[in-house]
Amino acid sequence: MNTNLANQFLSALGGDPGVFPHQYAPAMDQILLARLPVATLREASFLDERILTRETQGVWIPAQQVAAAAAALPSAPVSYIFHSGHCGSTLVSRLLGAAGDAIALREPLPLRALAFDRAEGGGAMLTPEKARERLSLLERLWARGASAAVVKATSICTGLAADLLPAGAKAVYVSQRADIHLAVLLAGRNAVNDLRAFAQMRWRRLNAHIPLPPLAQFSNGELAALCWLAETDAAARARLPVFDFDALLTAPAETLGAIATALGVAAPEDKIAAAIAGPIMKRYSKSPDHEYDAALRARIIADARRDHGAEIQKGLDWLDRLGAASPSAKAVLDRWT
């Protein structure tokens, strides 16, 4: 550890929100603090390796030292957007950032680290109490300089909603019907790589209470179905308010207002209207340089159904079989049919 840099960063925590908790390592119980432009933190689609440059300064520091330095920081409410992936959650986050009084942060890496550790069950490095303590520290750091923060989690993090969030925490779940979701997932250029990257973790989480066949037997369509069910089941177990992305497209002001209310975010009607009428709804939220709207999404879904229809059907058949064998899986499916 670079002691001088560590001391500089710890001293700056109270006054410089650009000193950011970029990553957390449960095995070492250390936090990577990095100095980043505040504008980058607010605008980034992903607060992961992609925001780092050759000029970025960073240092790993024992989490206990970070906690001591942050102990005097004022706390502000932090709420969460959980989702199933590729379902408009980044758009929701950007709209809330424009319309509401909270800063919007998207996919900070420490949440992923906590999610992977919790997915190990008895093999987790952190006790539930320690994991909650570390999440509370991260929340204090995320919300610096604001009255509130809304954190959009990575799609693999929905299990944290039931495992780590304290009673009364504000959180929502954004998704879409399984048939639509499978088409969207399989349409992506790197869809199969993304599905396989997180498949083992999702399989472990879901298999803990819904018996599943061996993962090696899954087709690509079934991997997409696993993605949808693992996150949607986790949202159901956490009793999160559920929002269908297609409702946002058909009734944007009403739906965004309901999401803001569920998250405890103050978003006046005029600011919601301005956010919806502005450029956000016309750009691809993960990469705002590209145009994207509901009509383009509909064409992508139609093309995926044509090009990947057999795999989509395999995934839907897998969900039907699981629903017939598992009451909890059936309850999730019934919510969306």
Side-chain angles (χ1 to χ4, degrees), residues 315-337:
L316 295 175
D317 290 344
W318 180 83
L319 288 172
D320 286 342
R321 291 194 301 272
L322 206 59
S326 165
S328 58
K330 182 178 184 303
V332 173
L333 292 169
D334 287 347
R335 165 63 181 81
W336 287 90
T337 55

Side-chain angles (χ1 to χ4, degrees), residues 79 169-172 241 243 257-265:
S79 55
K170 304 288 188 180
V172 299
F243 291 90
I259 292 173
T261 298
L263 292 174
V265 173

